[in-house]
Amino acid sequence: MNRKISISTFILAVALNIRLFCGVYIHDEFAETHFFIKHKPTWKWKFYSPQGMSDLKFEDLSKEKQTEQKYFNEYIKDRGLSL
């Protein structure tokens, strides 16, 4: 019984770490999906850029899309994953 609990705990810990430290982003120019490893943990899994390659300014976006763009810039663009 202890062995099953240990294995279950280990699997849960691995799954939690993958969820917190890995993610997927949609490239803002080519619309391709890429897997990446995050530099700090967050529950967010999927990242995309509401601005994309358009001429939209950050101020023109809604509050939700501004937040999404901040996440994209912090986790993707600032790390050089999507130039």
Side-chain angles (χ1 to χ4, degrees):
M1 186 67 170
N2 285 337
R3 182 172 168 86
K4 287 182 181 181
I5 293 173
S6 297
I7 291 172
S8 298
T9 304
F10 176 75
I11 291 172
L12 181 64
V14 169
L16 183 63
N17 278 319
I18 289 172
R19 175 70 176 163
L20 290 174
F21 287 100
C22 296
V24 174
Y25 73 93
I26 300 172
H27 195 281
D28 55 348
E29 184 177 359
F30 302 113
E32 297 172 341
T33 305
H34 298 280
F35 178 81
F36 74 103
I37 297 178
K38 302 174 198 170
H39 66 282
K40 64 181 185 179
T42 182
W43 194 253
K44 186 163 181 58
W45 175 258
K46 189 174 184 181
F47 297 82
Y48 73 96
S49 174
Q51 281 180 317
M53 298 303 287
S54 68
D55 293 333
L56 281 175
K57 294 191 182 340
F58 184 77
E59 299 80 26
D60 296 337
L61 299 172
S62 67
K63 292 292 182 191
E64 294 83 21
K65 290 188 177 183
Q66 284 180 357
T67 303
E68 195 66 41
Q69 187 64 43
K70 286 179 185 176
Y71 276 123
F72 186 81
N73 290 345
E74 180 183 354
Y75 284 91
I76 310 303
K77 203 169 228 178
D78 294 347
R79 301 286 172 224
L81 296 175
S82 178
L83 301 174

